[in-house]
Amino acid sequence: MNAVVEIKIDQPKTSGAQAFLRGRDKKMLIGGEWRDAVSGQRIDSRDPATGKVIGTVPRGAKADVDLAVKAAREAFDKGVWRDKTPDERGRILWKIAELIEANIEELSELETLDQGKPLFVGRWAEIPGAIGQFRYFAGQASKIHGETIPTSINYQPPGKKIFAYTVKEPIGVVGAITPWNSPLVLEAMKIAPCLAAGCSMILKPAEDTSLTAIRLGELIMEAGVPPGVFNVVTGLGPEAGQALSEHHDVDKIAFTGSTATGRKILQAAGGNLKKVALELGGKSPSIILADAEMDIAIPGAANAVFFNTGQVCVAGTRLYVEKKVFDKVVAGVADIAKGMKLGHGLDPATQIGPIVNKMQADKIKGYIDGGRAAGAEIVCGGAQGGPAGTFITPTVVAKTDHKMKIVQEEIFGPVVVAMPIDSLDDVPRLANDTHYGLAASVWTQDLSKATRYASAIKAGTVWVNCHLMFDASLPIGGYKESGWSRDSGTQAVDNYLETKTVCMVV
Ligand code: NAI
Ligand code: MG
């Protein structure tokens, strides 16, 4: 291991995080009230670095989903939110952003304790990203409108005209189901456009990381979102998540998570044919050409896979390097990996935190061991440890075959497979040899190559000389089995809208 993982600190510093953890029972937000699960059952929330229970949250299930959907439907039908002026909805969304910002130190600590991530990741990337979503979609609330449309309809009663237009209407009651890797920003990517559109919603956060979703619920209420418009049901995926996906009075599910769960949600949604948006897994390539600026490309490729301990849907997990610089790049990335400091996320020196839970860590270790058994070379890392067995040392793998599981499947941990590019003609084929199509990066000074590959790679995002550049204004989502539709950007609001056509003879 890079070093034995010593836990020197596992307590939050801010009074806000201390008060939230110790001061009050964590409940679900339903119809503006804080409630326990109907069953009375609860789920443990653990600090993945130590394995210690840091709190419990209600184990919501079907009965609770029913109550939340009823509250959301009532709020929608009464028009308490969608009938507000767009300006008013925008002001409240902006207020949510301000409240998150005012509590950013507390929220970062809570996220680190519950999820494991190094504090700087939450404090400087994830939570600012969540704030950015609310600010951006605050502005979008007033820019939702249809069009007037000239028609070519033949029928024209004498003396009359045809006048046609479209109206954008909120889709209704939305269920948002979100993962544990970057909880607050991925929740915000659903909540902000959904509320901007005027919908009511139920958030089902991941069972491993529900604490900040509850805290976010408090802030959303404080900002002035009316009761019933925003609800939080905590609970397990196969219980609360499944019930929400099946519910006949839910109009849309917006999901981020694994491709396997995305498929289950699609099946569950079939009953009432509710709409489904899916932001799923990836196996994204980082492609380094020989003319790249190596002092940017090497740390860039390392960051692309090790940031947030590799638990990023768009992580650069397949590293393709032009043959003549392959050894140099792999050695450079491995040197960075070997120098990374593992520890508790609350320790300011930590660069690599624990994996979210032991099961995920075991799964990652299984991929590494499977790769080794299949003949791959573990250039560095590959070890599992720490007090709860949740730490994985940053791992660089070489000498792989493209068919190996370690090259094809989403590992969701700090593991990169490095492969040489023999001929530049192979780049599109190699990059696209996967079921996924979420993202890619190309590192080169050659504008013509960058542009050609950006066009040839089948992925929702292609970065050039960078990776993991996110903004609320930039659409993100997948080709192929990486998903349907896009989060972020102006069109994300369309996920939560129906188009109504009005055609009149006047
Ligand atoms: P998951 O996709 O099962 O979990 C995401 C969310 O879906 C959670 O809120 C969970 O409670 C919910 N869920 C689970 N089963 C459900 C069901 N049957 N119906 C409705 N909702 C359900 O992810 P999981 O199992 O925690 O992680 C497994 C793998 O998924 C990871 O190893 C990683 O490869 C991938 N993953 C990918 C993410 C991405 O953004 N691309 C995010 C999280 C996980
Ligand atoms: Mg936890």
Side-chain angles (χ1 to χ4, degrees):
M1 198 167 260
N2 293 38
V4 177
V5 181
E6 267 183 86
I7 305 291
K8 295 188 198 130
I9 162 176
D10 68 354
Q11 296 301 318
K13 281 198 200 127
T14 59
S15 53
Q18 289 168 3
F20 182 75
L21 285 177
R22 293 170 203 144
R24 49 196 185 276
D25 284 345
K26 266 54 87 184
K27 300 200 175 183
M28 299 188 289
L29 177 59
I30 297 179
E33 287 172 13
W34 294 95
R35 297 190 182 215
D36 289 317
V38 170
S39 70
Q41 293 188 39
R42 300 185 71 83
I43 309 172
D44 287 340
S45 276
R46 285 175 194 276
D47 173 347
T50 59
K52 286 185 201 155
V53 175
I54 53 169
T56 65
V57 299
R59 180 171 170 174
K62 185 176 180 311
D64 308 282
V65 166
D66 287 347
L67 289 173
V69 172
K70 189 162 174 277
R73 176 60 62 192
E74 271 169 25
F76 188 75
D77 288 348
K78 279 192 198 137
V80 293
W81 179 245
R82 68 179 159 137
D83 290 349
K84 279 195 190 304
T85 62
D87 177 63
E88 184 62 10
R89 285 204 305 276
R91 279 203 298 139
I92 293 175
L93 287 173
W94 192 272
K95 183 83 204 271
I96 298 172
E98 287 189 331
L99 287 170
I100 297 174
E101 195 161 49
N103 292 281
I104 194 165
E105 309 297 341
E106 171 195 334
L107 287 164
S108 313
E109 286 191 325
L110 289 175
E111 200 78 305
T112 287
L113 272 165
D114 206 9
Q115 201 279 337
K117 63 182 60 223
L119 195 59
F120 76 89
V121 173
R123 174 64 184 81
W124 298 105
E126 184 196 321
I127 302 177
I131 294 167
Q133 291 284 328
F134 284 104
R135 292 232 164 92
Y136 182 81
F137 288 103
Q140 290 298 315
S142 55
K143 288 149 202 82
I144 297 168
H145 51 74
E147 302 171 303
T148 55
I149 303 173
T151 74
S152 304
I153 298 172
N154 253 334
Y155 165 74
Q156 197 95 349
K160 302 278 186 184
K161 279 187 177 298
I162 291 180
F163 176 53
Y165 61 93
T166 54
V167 192
K168 299 281 182 180
E169 296 183 342
I171 200 164
V173 172
V174 174
I177 301 176
T178 50
W180 39 259
N181 50 324
S182 295
L184 275 171
V185 68
L186 296 173
E187 289 154 16
M189 282 163 82
K190 312 294 188 203
I191 301 166
C194 183
L195 294 184
C199 295
S200 295
M201 67 185 298
I202 300 101
L203 170 68
K204 207 302 280 173
E207 44 272 53
D208 279 297
T209 57
S210 298
L211 293 181
T212 50
I214 292 172
R215 186 71 186 102
L216 181 63
E218 294 179 354
L219 299 177
I220 288 177
M221 293 303 285
E222 188 181 338
V225 172
V229 172
F230 178 74
N231 305 273
V232 181
V233 174
T234 52
L236 304 178
E239 296 176 3
Q242 177 83 17
L244 192 57
S245 309
E246 281 172 355
H247 204 292
H248 277 249
D249 206 21
V250 171
D251 299 296
K252 170 126 195 177
I253 294 287
F255 173 69
T256 300
S258 64
T259 297
T261 298
R263 286 203 175 86
K264 286 186 197 154
I265 288 175
L266 266 187
Q267 282 184 343
N272 68 337
L273 288 179
K274 62 176 68 64
K275 275 85 177 166
V276 178
L278 302 169
E279 208 270 86
L280 306 176
K283 191 75 182 176
S284 302
S286 301
I287 299 156
I288 301 188
L289 305 187
D291 71 349
E293 285 183 287
M294 290 301 163
D295 52 343
I296 294 176
I298 292 173
N303 189 57
V305 66
F306 299 136
F307 185 76
N308 204 32
T309 318
Q311 300 161 109
V312 179
C313 54
V314 293
T317 48
R318 292 184 293 143
L319 176 61
Y320 295 101
V321 188
E322 207 174 334
K323 206 167 192 177
K324 55 188 155 194
V325 291
F326 182 77
D327 290 343
K328 177 181 170 168
V329 170
V330 173
V333 173
D335 279 348
I336 292 171
K338 285 183 263 184
M340 290 183 106
K341 173 95 180 58
L342 277 68
H344 196 289
L346 288 179
D347 186 336
T350 293
Q351 292 167 294
I352 295 278
I355 302 301
V356 71
N357 59 40
K358 175 77 165 41
M359 205 177 79
Q360 284 291 130
D362 290 345
K363 183 176 155 191
I364 296 165
K365 183 67 164 55
Y367 275 112
I368 299 169
D369 293 345
R372 190 189 277 120
E377 175 198 354
I378 310 300
V379 178
C380 67
Q384 183 175 7
T390 47
F391 284 86
I392 300 280
T393 47
T395 304
V396 178
V397 182
K399 301 210 170 76
T400 53
D401 169 316
H402 230 251
K403 299 218 161 30
M404 283 181 189
K405 274 174 123 178
I406 200 170
V407 180
Q408 288 294 329
E409 295 185 15
E410 184 177 49
I411 298 175
F412 227 63
V415 181
V416 63
V417 289
M419 292 162 285
I421 300 169
D422 292 326
S423 155
L424 290 184
D425 294 340
D426 295 339
V427 168
R429 181 179 55 77
L430 292 170
N432 292 332
D433 180 20
T434 159
H435 293 294
Y436 293 114
L438 197 51
S441 59
V442 182
W443 305 75
T444 176
Q445 291 303 296
D446 184 329
L447 188 58
S448 141
K449 283 182 190 140
T451 313
R452 271 190 282 127
Y453 296 149
S455 151
I457 293 172
K458 296 189 183 101
T461 296
V462 179
W463 288 292
V464 176
N465 296 324
C466 59
H467 202 113
L468 306 183
M469 299 293 249
F470 304 109
D471 193 80
S473 65
L474 297 175
I476 188 141
Y479 282 38
K480 302 196 284 188
E481 291 179 27
S482 290
W484 291 357
S485 78
R486 296 290 179 270
D487 285 332
S488 294
T490 52
Q491 65 191 2
V493 180
D494 290 330
N495 286 333
Y496 306 99
L497 295 169
E498 290 278 22
T499 300
K500 179 177 283 173
T501 303
V502 181
C503 181
M504 317 167 69
V505 174
V506 293

